[in-house]
Amino acid sequence: MKRSVFFISDATGITAEALGKSLLSQFESIEFERITLPYIDTVQKAQQAVERIKKQAEWDGERPIVIDTILNQEVREVISTSGAYMADVFGAFLRPLEVELNKKSSYTVGKAHSIVNDRHYMDRIAAVHFALDNDDGARTTHYENADIILLGVSRCGKTPTCLYLGLQYGICAANYPLTEEDTEELRLPRELVPYRDKLFGLTIDPERLQAIRHERRANSKYSSPRQCEMEVRGVEALYNKENIPWLDSTHHSIEEMAARIMAEANITTHVKKHLSV
Amino acid sequence: MKRSVFFISDATGITAEALGKSLLSQFESIEFERITLPYIDTVQKAQQAVERIKKQAEWDGERPIVIDTILNQEVREVISTSGAYMADVFGAFLRPLEVELNKKSSYTVGKAHSIVNDRHYMDRIAAVHFALDNDDGARTTHYENADIILLGVSRCGKTPTCLYLGLQYGICAANYPLTEEDTEELRLPRELVPYRDKLFGLTIDPERLQAIRHERRANSKYSSPRQCEMEVRGVEALYNKENIPWLDSTHHSIEEMAARIMAEANITTHVKKHLSV
């Protein structure tokens, strides 16, 4: 069974997509075709969207599902003529919230992902640049300004996780690749010692690591089963000896790792600083 | 007026945060304190969360707002004893969707942001590495594999936008910094000519650019008003002459730029490829 799902917004569509992803992931046996229509902010664009939805309905032989975050009521009314099943996100939550807060909402389009709070946005962009500048142990001079320093072997997911921590939460995350030399003596690299409280380790299943490295550099020592196994055992031994909190990235997405790292490293002060408007 | 808002989830909390951000941004006159409690997946953790919420209520003198994506009903029932105003995301949408789809949902925790679809997740991670490897015109040999190539002056937002396109959508985005030399002759750099169809320009208000560059390198030629003005005028002239679609990043967040670029560059085929599970 296949169903088409439209995420429609008068802004980016990111909220509709995120919510839709959560909802649809609960129906594993159904194949969904996902179509995002962002910036549907005029009646004319809404009419074009309706045509698109109707065409899809004919094609599928089933009415599509629309998950929308459209604030403009005129635009929304046009979309609701499409015959699709409509999940009205703002309708479900905004009106009850108006009552609870005893305030009319502003119904202003495109607030969620705009540069509403310049400082918070600038913090996030600065954190992305921080992650880039402090990637792969390239520079350790800025570790003083890091909120967290991720450790791990090459290709265990340090860099994307650091970037995500910056992009999503405005957390300044550096990363330091542990090498064979570092782990052989079971001793923290000298540069890391002053920042012990900021260290967080990543590990990964050696077989998975091997597959990832193989895609990058096939049939090299770097991607050999033996090398991967040895490096991973080495960092895990180091984490345990030095009492560094760590996480296995094998079955976790970067979103999950970021959320877990923040929870476990207890950097809620930063989070609150950054998340509060 | 200040209200506390808790985003509570038995997984990362990303969906609750995204939805909450959209909803709360509609009440500009209210100051919100935002607290995310991820991985509330046992009754015991739920009880701790309830204590936290009650303490906050006393502190604020107002009942907090809870926006939750908790699938475990037992856990959710504990949270609902907190006395907070509850916005039940799954309750509002999951049950009606079960009827529409004529299927029981799996009520499995942590699906949305897990590595459900390995291929799609790997595509996203590969796209992040693609953006890093093809940042700032460092290498142009991989442009053939790029879905899009962003152009613009230094510090106009190319790199974070490329990273976001990779992280969020799995789009392989390279970027090429246009310099004074490039724009002086109003001619596309030679390396870019074969990839004309993939080019997308960014521009920025010169004053804004100056402020950004000033934070990086104060009182330099690089951050002088004259230099910024000249570079920006140069790239805009080039975009117009060469018919390159472009976007002004001054008042747009990277999320907005990514969504707009995808809409305008019409890379929906990729998006669909990447967004469909």
Side-chain angles (χ1 to χ4, degrees), chain A residues 3 15 22 26 28-29 34 63 100 103 106-108 111 113 121 124 167 253-255 275, chain B residues 3 15 22 26 28-29 34 63 100 103 106-108 111 113 121 124 167 253-255 275:
Chain A
R3 292 293 292 262
T15 303
S22 278
Q26 294 298 320
E28 286 165 326
S29 60
R34 295 145 195 248
R63 66 173 176 173
E100 170 66 19
K103 271 266 179 314
S106 59
Y107 285 93
T108 319
K111 280 277 170 211
H113 300 284
Y121 180 73
R124 286 173 54 216
L167 262 177
S253 69
I254 47 176
E255 287 87 348
L275 282 185
Chain B
R3 293 293 291 261
T15 303
S22 277
Q26 293 299 320
E28 286 165 326
S29 60
R34 295 145 195 248
R63 66 172 176 173
E100 171 67 17
K103 271 267 180 310
S106 59
Y107 284 94
T108 318
K111 280 277 171 210
H113 300 283
Y121 180 72
R124 287 173 53 215
L167 262 177
S253 70
I254 47 175
E255 287 87 348
L275 283 185

Side-chain angles (χ1 to χ4, degrees), chain A residues 119-228:
Chain A
R119 193 63 249 167
H120 172 55
Y121 180 73
M122 294 297 273
D123 280 350
R124 286 173 54 216
I125 298 302
V128 170
H129 284 291
F130 184 90
L132 290 171
D133 290 344
N134 295 277
D135 187 32
D136 249 2
R139 274 197 282 175
T140 59
T141 45
H142 293 154
Y143 280 9
E144 221 175 285
N145 302 322
D147 294 316
I148 195 158
I149 302 165
L150 298 191
L151 312 179
V153 303
S154 167
R155 286 281 150 161
C156 70
K158 298 183 302 299
T159 300
T161 306
C162 285
L163 290 169
Y164 189 81
L165 282 165
L167 262 177
Q168 180 79 2
Y169 301 109
I171 299 288
C172 287
N175 77 75
Y176 188 97
L178 291 170
T179 61
E180 217 178 312
E181 290 73 45
D182 294 323
T183 52
E184 249 170 18
E185 303 191 22
L186 267 187
R187 201 182 286 172
L188 264 191
R190 204 166 33 83
E191 303 94 300
L192 297 178
V193 174
Y195 308 107
R196 179 177 287 273
D197 293 348
K198 299 182 179 182
L199 304 181
F200 199 102
L202 294 187
T203 188
I204 185 170
D205 174 67
E207 273 184 49
R208 172 84 172 172
L209 179 65
Q210 204 221 321
I212 295 170
R213 287 186 174 183
H214 184 78
E215 279 203 24
R216 193 159 174 96
R217 239 184 278 161
N219 304 316
S220 62
K221 183 187 170 200
Y222 174 77
S223 65
S224 72
R226 213 182 135 211
Q227 181 70 21
C228 293

Side-chain angles (χ1 to χ4, degrees), chain A residues 1 3 12 14-15 17-19 21-36 38-39 41 52 63-65 67 71 85 87-90 92-94 96-98 100-101 103-116 118-122 124-125 128-129 132-133 135 155 159-160 163-164 167-169 208 212 215-216 249-257 259-260 263 268 272 275-277, chain B residues 1 3 12 14-15 17-19 21-36 38-39 52 63-65 67 71 85 87-90 92-94 96-98 100-101 103-116 118-122 124-125 128-129 132-133 135 155 159-160 163-164 167-169 208 212 215-216 249-257 259-260 263 268 271-272 275-277:
Chain A
M1 182 156 93
R3 292 293 292 262
T12 62
I14 292 171
T15 303
E17 277 179 2
L19 179 61
K21 207 173 170 186
S22 278
L23 294 171
L24 302 182
S25 65
Q26 294 298 320
F27 299 93
E28 286 165 326
S29 60
I30 300 175
E31 188 197 333
F32 293 106
E33 167 145 6
R34 295 145 195 248
I35 303 118
T36 302
Y39 299 111
D41 49 10
R52 176 88 190 270
R63 66 173 176 173
I65 291 159
I67 296 177
L71 279 163
Y85 172 88
D88 175 5
V89 178
F90 287 140
F93 293 116
L94 212 46
L97 258 181
E98 288 181 331
E100 170 66 19
L101 296 169
K103 271 266 179 314
K104 288 295 276 182
S105 88
S106 59
Y107 285 93
T108 319
V109 171
K111 280 277 170 211
H113 300 284
S114 68
I115 312 180
V116 180
D118 203 51
R119 193 63 249 167
H120 172 55
Y121 180 73
M122 294 297 273
R124 286 173 54 216
I125 298 302
V128 170
H129 284 291
L132 290 171
D133 290 344
D135 187 32
R155 286 281 150 161
T159 300
L163 290 169
Y164 189 81
L167 262 177
Q168 180 79 2
Y169 301 109
R208 172 84 172 172
I212 295 170
E215 279 203 24
R216 193 159 174 96
S249 71
T250 313
H251 301 293
H252 290 121
S253 69
I254 47 176
E255 287 87 348
E256 289 173 310
M257 286 198 282
R260 280 185 190 274
T268 36
K272 269 173 60 180
L275 282 185
S276 60
V277 169
Chain B
M1 182 155 91
R3 293 293 291 261
T12 63
I14 292 171
T15 303
E17 277 180 1
L19 178 61
K21 208 174 170 186
S22 277
L23 294 171
L24 302 182
S25 65
Q26 293 299 320
F27 299 94
E28 286 165 326
S29 60
I30 301 175
E31 189 197 333
F32 294 106
E33 167 147 6
R34 295 145 195 248
I35 302 117
T36 302
Y39 299 110
R52 176 87 190 270
R63 66 172 176 173
I65 291 159
I67 296 177
L71 280 163
Y85 172 87
D88 175 5
V89 178
F90 287 139
F93 293 115
L94 212 46
L97 258 182
E98 287 181 331
E100 171 67 17
L101 296 169
K103 271 267 180 310
K104 288 294 277 182
S105 88
S106 59
Y107 284 94
T108 318
V109 171
K111 280 277 171 210
H113 300 283
S114 67
I115 313 180
V116 180
D118 203 52
R119 194 61 249 167
H120 172 54
Y121 180 72
M122 295 296 275
R124 287 173 53 215
I125 299 302
V128 170
H129 285 291
L132 290 171
D133 290 344
D135 187 32
R155 284 282 148 160
T159 300
L163 290 170
Y164 189 81
L167 262 177
Q168 181 78 3
Y169 301 108
R208 172 83 172 172
I212 294 169
E215 279 202 25
R216 193 159 174 96
S249 72
T250 313
H251 302 293
H252 290 121
S253 70
I254 47 175
E255 287 87 348
E256 290 173 308
M257 286 198 281
R260 280 185 189 275
T268 35
V271 182
K272 269 173 61 181
L275 283 185
S276 60
V277 169

Side-chain angles (χ1 to χ4, degrees), chain B:
Chain B
M1 182 155 91
K2 202 203 98 183
R3 293 293 291 261
S4 295
V5 184
F6 286 84
F7 305 112
I8 307 182
S9 171
D10 32 23
T12 63
I14 292 171
T15 303
E17 277 180 1
L19 178 61
K21 208 174 170 186
S22 277
L23 294 171
L24 302 182
S25 65
Q26 293 299 320
F27 299 94
E28 286 165 326
S29 60
I30 301 175
E31 189 197 333
F32 294 106
E33 167 147 6
R34 295 145 195 248
I35 302 117
T36 302
L37 303 179
Y39 299 110
I40 304 300
D41 50 9
T42 65
V43 165
Q44 202 199 343
K45 286 189 198 168
Q47 282 159 348
Q48 288 166 356
V50 167
E51 289 313 305
R52 176 87 190 270
I53 295 167
K54 284 184 174 167
K55 221 174 270 172
Q56 194 74 31
E58 255 176 59
W59 190 264
D60 293 348
E62 287 269 16
R63 66 172 176 173
I65 291 159
V66 167
I67 296 177
D68 84 274
T69 52
I70 299 172
L71 280 163
N72 183 314
Q73 288 310 298
E74 212 184 335
V75 170
R76 195 164 194 280
E77 267 165 37
V78 176
I79 298 292
S80 67
T81 66
S82 67
Y85 172 87
M86 304 268 293
D88 175 5
V89 178
F90 287 139
F93 293 115
L94 212 46
R95 278 171 256 299
L97 258 182
E98 287 181 331
V99 176
E100 171 67 17
L101 296 169
N102 196 22
K103 271 267 180 310
K104 288 294 277 182
S105 88
S106 59
Y107 284 94
T108 318
V109 171
K111 280 277 171 210
H113 300 283
S114 67
I115 313 180
V116 180
N117 179 320
D118 203 52
R119 194 61 249 167
H120 172 54
Y121 180 72
M122 295 296 275
D123 279 351
R124 287 173 53 215
I125 299 302
V128 170
H129 285 291
F130 184 91
L132 290 171
D133 290 344
N134 294 278
D135 187 32
D136 249 0
R139 274 196 283 175
T140 58
T141 44
H142 294 152
Y143 279 10
E144 221 174 284
N145 302 322
D147 294 315
I148 195 159
I149 302 166
L150 298 190
L151 311 178
V153 304
S154 167
R155 284 282 148 160
C156 69
K158 298 184 301 299
T159 300
T161 307
C162 284
L163 290 170
Y164 189 81
L165 282 164
L167 262 177
Q168 181 78 3
Y169 301 108
I171 299 288
C172 287
N175 78 75
Y176 188 98
L178 290 170
T179 62
E180 218 178 312
E181 290 73 45
D182 294 323
T183 52
E184 250 170 19
E185 303 191 23
L186 268 187
R187 201 181 288 172
L188 263 192
R190 204 166 31 85
E191 303 94 301
L192 298 177
V193 174
Y195 308 107
R196 179 177 288 273
D197 293 349
K198 298 182 179 182
L199 304 181
F200 199 101
L202 294 186
T203 187
I204 186 170
D205 174 69
E207 274 184 46
R208 172 83 172 172
L209 179 65
Q210 205 221 320
I212 294 169
R213 287 186 173 183
H214 184 78
E215 279 202 25
R216 193 159 174 96
R217 240 184 278 161
N219 304 318
S220 61
K221 183 187 169 201
Y222 175 75
S223 65
S224 71
R226 213 183 138 212
Q227 182 69 19
C228 292
E229 173 84 29
M230 194 181 55
E231 287 186 34
V232 169
R233 294 304 153 234
V235 297
E236 289 180 2
L238 184 64
Y239 300 154
N240 287 332
K241 180 175 168 258
E242 298 283 345
N243 254 325
I244 296 167
W246 57 278
L247 193 64
D248 187 334
S249 72
T250 313
H251 302 293
H252 290 121
S253 70
I254 47 175
E255 287 87 348
E256 290 173 308
M257 286 198 281
R260 280 185 189 275
I261 287 166
M262 296 221 305
E264 292 188 29
N266 222 350
I267 39 179
T268 35
T269 28
H270 301 287
V271 182
K272 269 173 61 181
K273 181 187 81 188
H274 288 281
L275 283 185
S276 60
V277 169

